Amino acid sequence: MISVRQRSVLIAAVIFAILLLPPVMHALQARMAAQMLVQIPLLIAVGYLLRAAVPQRLAAAIAAWNLNGLSGLLLATFAAAFWMLPRSLDAAASEPLFTLAKFVSVPLLIGLPMGLSWPCMNFVVRGIFLLELIAMFFRLGWLYLISPIRLCNNYLLDDQQRTGQYMLMIGGAILLWVAIKLLWGHFDLSPDSQQVARLHTHDPHRPADR
Amino acid sequence: MSSLALYPEDEKLPRNERLVFDLYIITAVALFVLMMLLGLSMRLTQATWAGIGPKLFYEILTMHGAGMVGTMGLVTLAVMWFFLRKYVHLHLWAFLTNYVLFMLGALAIIISIFIGGYAGMWTFLYPLPVHSMGIGSVNAAALFFIGYLLIGVGFLLFYLDAAAAIIRKFGNLGRAMGLQWLFGGTIDQSHPKAVVASTMVIIANSLGILAGAVVLVMCLINAYFPAVVLNALVVKNLIYWFGHMFINATIYMGVIAVYELLPRYSGRPYAVSRVFLWAWAVSCVFVIIVFPHHLLMDYAQPRWLAIIGQVVSWGAGFPVFLVTAYGVLTNIYRSGLRWKMPSRLMVLAVFGWAAGIVPAILDGTIVVNTLMHNTQWVPGHFHFYLLLGVLPMALAMMYHVIGSRAQSSDDAAGDKLSLPLYIIGGLVFALAFLAAGKASVARRFATHLPEWVPYDQAGSIGAILIILGMLFFSVRIIAGLLKTPTDVGSAHPGG
Ligand code: HEM
């Protein structure tokens, strides 16, 4: 019988291995929409799941420096900002060194910090994060849709515009999910806890309620 | 605690809370007077009794619009905070952060207008802010957008903290709005109306601010990368979604004061009913989608959106307004209402709200809009309900608080004069705009045709009366807030 933690790490390893398979990698990098909206999010998910591999003492030590998850959120934001630049995406599709950097940094500098920080975030920080995420999908989607020039050498204008459309849809979908969750969702709270929205149950790593 | 109780257990503000609350109120009152003086200078100019040049006029118009809307948001948020905190645990840092961000945003807006020369109006028409024909700089327009963003972030932070507190107590926002009782079940009579209203505002205004956060950043990008050309109609939709929602939310935050205070002056509990919950639920949806009534004359706008704009305009304001007006009338009918400043102001507010939305509903009708669009009918409608509806709600709370702190609900001698001055001034001022609108006087014009001037002169006289009344209110309120000894509680039955 494998534990929840082991299962998380196993799933992360399997996804990572699949993403590394040359045909899969090639297929996902051949289109802008696939690289931005499938490959990179999956790499983030790998890092997120990997938090289960962080020894508990180390996780506790990190949590002490991660008030409300803000340090992790900042790190992830900066790393994500880099991978949102068309220049970086372009290079990651055609230069092996950049591809390697992507496969290492996206899980470790975006996914993992988010995985370790999400449970520490209180309602307000999560709210700001989600609203900004939604706003960013709308802004970037809009920008990709109307940009008169190609943003990447590797991808054509129609691909770019399709990516824009998908981003608008994803932004809308997240917004809908957040709205439904807030209106009718179940929030597991203790009265004195700041930590309101717990989307992840059964997580042995979550620091105690604060 | 319950809304059936006439005198909530404890309304007393601890020291720090009181400090921040006083800061809000004093800032808001001072800003109102200042912005009214700016308004007067414009009205006098249109009336040819004063002569500020067109460049300064449009700067002042921009400042007055953004400043008044912002201040109304600030003060009604304080109303919401003051009453909501009795039912759920709000954090002072969120309330204070909103104040700080608001002031920073206001500073950015003031600099952008009076130093940078931005004069593109509070709801601007893309891409005019960055095509000012050399009058204002692109940086000034950008600073104006940043000012809005700062204010929006402050409001969002406060709303998120409030949402967390409400969810902690009621489970989720749906339960806080009483959605579980819409179709049946026994309504908990003590469910606070302040929570229902606050939740509706949190949902609707957060969506509006989200729209603003998207469109303002896109406008910033366009300001510095003009090759990124935005669709002007989409921008206009989003600007009005944000702008209309923001100013509309003020009435729904302000009305909390009526729900909370009226029973104390009528001596009668004001219970929650199924109709009340339905009204707030329906209004929550309608208020979010009513903004297309600002775009009825945009021929490129999809027809279905224009139709939504008209149909929803007829429905959006009505439900909450009707249950409130009915609730207020039945609450005070034969109750032996104690006529004190707060109760007078509340009755005025409900009248101002009622009368002020009629011209709005008319103008939200496509055939009428063809005639009235962008005439002074529009400032006629919103000055009516803002001056005689929303502001009195906030003033009622302020008078109540100073009365509570002084442990005396007696009106000052001057109140007997200032309130009639304010009301008569408000009516003359708003009706002058409406009459001008009926005569097709265009809004947002610095110079008026000779035929329009009599309306402007009547409006100016009304404005002077309002300001006299408001000056007196301000002195009373600021003195009342500053004078009181710190250890006096504010929950006294006399209100
Ligand atoms: C003594 C009180 C006031 C005076 C004298 C005044 C005067 C004016 C004038 C002359 C205009 C321009 C009308 C036109 O387009 O021709 C205006 C516009 C406006 N006022 Fe006031 N006003 C007063 C109070 C208020 C209040 C209390 C609010 C809201 C809280 C408010 C919000 C606005 C807004 C949003 C505009 C539209 C600005 C625009 O068109 O961009 N005003 N006001």
Side-chain angles (χ1 to χ4, degrees), chain B residues 44-69:
Chain B
L44 288 174
T45 300
Q46 290 172 335
T48 66
W49 285 340
I52 44 175
K55 179 172 179 291
L56 185 58
F57 181 95
Y58 292 114
E59 287 175 5
I60 289 181
L61 182 52
T62 307
M63 186 68 242
H64 175 82
M68 278 297 195
V69 169

Side-chain angles (χ1 to χ4, degrees), chain B residues 68 99 102 118 126 131 150 174 180 229 233 250 273 281 292 308 355-356 391 394-395 401 427 465 483:
Chain B
M68 278 297 195
Y99 180 83
F102 181 91
Y118 173 79
Y126 166 89
H131 290 270
L150 285 169
Q180 69 278 22
V229 180
L233 192 59
T250 63
S273 63
I308 287 189
L391 193 49
L395 288 170
V401 170
L427 285 172
L465 298 181
K483 216 169 53 186

Side-chain angles (χ1 to χ4, degrees), chain B residues 154-325:
Chain B
F155 269 70
L156 262 186
L157 271 177
F158 174 77
Y159 287 151
L160 281 170
D161 184 55
I166 289 174
I167 288 174
R168 211 174 288 136
K169 176 93 177 265
F170 295 94
N172 56 36
L173 296 185
R175 298 188 72 79
M177 284 192 71
L179 300 185
Q180 69 278 22
W181 295 311
L182 288 186
F183 295 101
T186 316
I187 297 173
D188 173 5
Q189 293 284 312
S190 67
H191 191 73
K193 287 187 286 300
V195 168
V196 177
S198 302
T199 308
M200 181 267 218
V201 169
I202 290 170
I203 296 170
N205 214 11
S206 299
L207 282 173
I209 293 172
L210 180 67
V214 171
V215 75
L216 289 168
V217 171
M218 293 303 284
C219 286
L220 273 174
I221 295 174
N222 165 267
Y224 293 105
F225 301 97
V228 176
V229 180
L230 307 176
N231 179 323
L233 192 59
V234 175
V235 175
K236 190 172 175 185
N237 271 285
L238 290 174
I239 291 283
Y240 275 98
W241 194 348
F242 165 60
H244 184 270
M245 192 58 254
F246 192 89
I247 190 60
N248 213 179
T250 63
I251 204 154
Y252 299 112
M253 293 193 277
V255 75
I256 297 172
V258 178
Y259 293 151
E260 284 279 334
L261 296 179
L262 195 68
R264 302 184 210 179
Y265 292 84
S266 67
R268 227 184 239 165
Y270 188 165
V272 169
S273 63
R274 209 179 307 281
V275 179
F276 177 90
L277 296 173
W278 263 106
W280 277 89
V282 170
S283 281
C284 182
V285 178
F286 280 8
V287 149
I288 293 169
I289 54 173
V290 72
F291 70 91
H293 67 201
H294 286 273
L295 291 96
L296 295 178
M297 290 305 110
D298 289 81
Y299 61 90
Q301 177 89 333
R303 188 152 278 256
W304 59 270
L305 265 175
I307 291 172
I308 287 189
Q310 163 163 341
V311 173
V312 175
S313 290
W314 282 77
F318 265 139
V320 166
F321 161 68
L322 280 182
V323 300
T324 305

Side-chain angles (χ1 to χ4, degrees), chain A residues 43 46-47 50 75 102-114:
Chain A
L43 285 173
V46 167
L50 270 187
L75 174 61
K102 179 177 69 179
F103 270 80
V104 176
S105 70
V106 171
L108 294 184
L109 296 183
I110 305 178
L112 186 58
M114 278 309 289

